[in-house]
Amino acid sequence: MPIKVAVLFERRPHEKRVAMVPAVADKLAKLGCSISMLSGAGLASKLPDSAFSAVTFAQSEQALLADAAIVLAVQAPSAELITLLQPGTILLSFIYPNKEAALTRLLRDKQITCFAMEQVPRISRAQAMDALSSQAALAGYYAALMGATKLSRILPMMTTAVGSIRPARCLVMGLGVAGLQALATARRLGAITEGYDVRPETKEQAESLGAKFVDTGVDARGEGGYARELTAAEKDKIAAVVTKHIQQADIVITTAAIPGRLSPKLISKAQVDGMKLGAVIIDLAAEGGGNCEYSVPGETVLQGQITIAAPLNVPSMLAEHASELYAKNVLNLLQLFIVDGEIALNWEDEVLAKTVLTHAGEIKPAAIKTALEQ
């Protein structure tokens, strides 16, 4: 019997992605899976039903989920959908248990085996499954384009019959996957680029992309590839150096976000008030409240002559490629436990052990279990 895989229709606001694309559906079928989804689930990603040759289309979510062995989604499913799942069903999606405590408890109580895509460990072997990174790369690319289109000048140097136009300056704050992609894109568009991060090991990466690194002398390396919390003294030291670069920039792109937590404030109101007239800030950390004190998540605001955009769910704005990359991340994770047409969960596998959120009526990560069960 084939393994029944159900792909959910994404219902959350701002979400245009889908967890399955035709090429991945074909590969799953070869693994011994039968794939089902609701009609129209891929339309927001420019994928009509006719594009899926290896998929059957259910008439309702009840029918879709009634006997599914594996359920795939981008965003966390609603509580109503989770109640439709049979105990032992395997779910793959982003969850963010710090924000979705009740949902995480429900997954535990329903005995769902949930692999939270944001928990894929950042190790070399798991790079092909790292959905956070694949989506962040698209967000960084698009952030540079948004900055260029909101700026009332051009990015590259241009020589005309009446004189030369100097290139724009772009500062990227936070040099993870999104930040480095933003630097690379802004550079390709012709801007003079600078990169800043509290982790000094990113200096070489920024310089390899042709950017100047803003060195503040503060080392804030933390666990899991993220920055640790800064002390008040460190924040003051950083501000003294970074303010000058913020206020010289035409475009500032901020990317400092930790999944499921509040975003650190990198740009104060005072720093914004001293920026060049017509400058633009693109804040990619809006889901966590934003990196700029003036940011309004989901909105573009004008503070004096400074434009501050804090878009939500930027990867979804590039839904076609975002869906493709996400579906491939999911496929690579599925291939770890679909063996010879059967589901075989090997908890000795580091990737599976660190990605699983709930299994057999337990919340598996110790820190999350402690936080949610107290």
Side-chain angles (χ1 to χ4, degrees), residues 14 26 31-34 62 65 132 140 225 245 279 290 293 334 371:
H14 312 292
D26 294 342
L31 287 179
C33 298
S34 63
Q62 288 83 356
L65 299 176
L132 280 179
H245 295 270
E293 289 185 347
L334 290 172

Side-chain angles (χ1 to χ4, degrees), residues 70-77 82 89-100 103-104 107 112-122 126 129-133 226 259-260 326 329-330 333-334 336-337 345 347 350-359 362-365 368 372:
I70 298 173
V71 176
L72 308 179
V74 179
Q75 299 283 359
I82 290 173
T89 302
I90 297 172
L91 168 67
L92 280 72
S93 76
F94 288 117
I95 298 291
Y96 301 113
N98 292 330
K99 289 184 175 180
E100 299 284 359
L103 205 64
T104 302
L107 290 166
I112 305 303
T113 297
C114 174
F115 291 99
M117 295 302 291
E118 74 276 5
Q119 293 187 177
V120 171
R122 289 191 161 179
M129 308 157 209
D130 188 352
L132 280 179
S133 291
Y226 298 103
Y326 181 79
N329 294 142
V330 166
L333 186 58
L334 290 172
L336 293 183
F337 61 83
L345 294 170
W347 299 117
E350 181 183 8
V351 177
L352 295 182
K354 290 186 175 180
T355 306
V356 70
L357 175 63
T358 59
H359 175 67
E362 288 187 66
I363 297 173
K364 302 304 287 186
I368 296 172
L372 297 190

Side-chain angles (χ1 to χ4, degrees), residues 172-174 196 198 230 238-239 242-243 246 253-257 263-268 271 283 285 290-293:
V172 177
M173 303 179 72
Y196 160 73
V198 292
L230 297 171
I238 288 170
V242 172
T243 297
I246 291 173
I253 298 171
T254 66
T255 71
S263 304
K265 298 301 180 188
L266 303 184
I267 304 178
S268 68
Q271 288 171 322
D283 189 340
N291 293 142
C292 175
E293 289 185 347

Side-chain angles (χ1 to χ4, degrees), residues 297-335:
E299 297 184 19
T300 297
V301 298
L302 196 63
Q303 179 61 35
Q305 293 299 312
I306 313 303
T307 301
I308 304 157
L312 294 168
N313 198 352
V314 175
S316 186
M317 298 176 184
L318 299 169
E320 184 178 342
H321 277 152
S323 297
E324 179 181 337
L325 295 181
Y326 181 79
K328 289 178 178 178
N329 294 142
V330 166
L331 172 66
N332 288 323
L333 186 58
L334 290 172
Q335 287 175 326

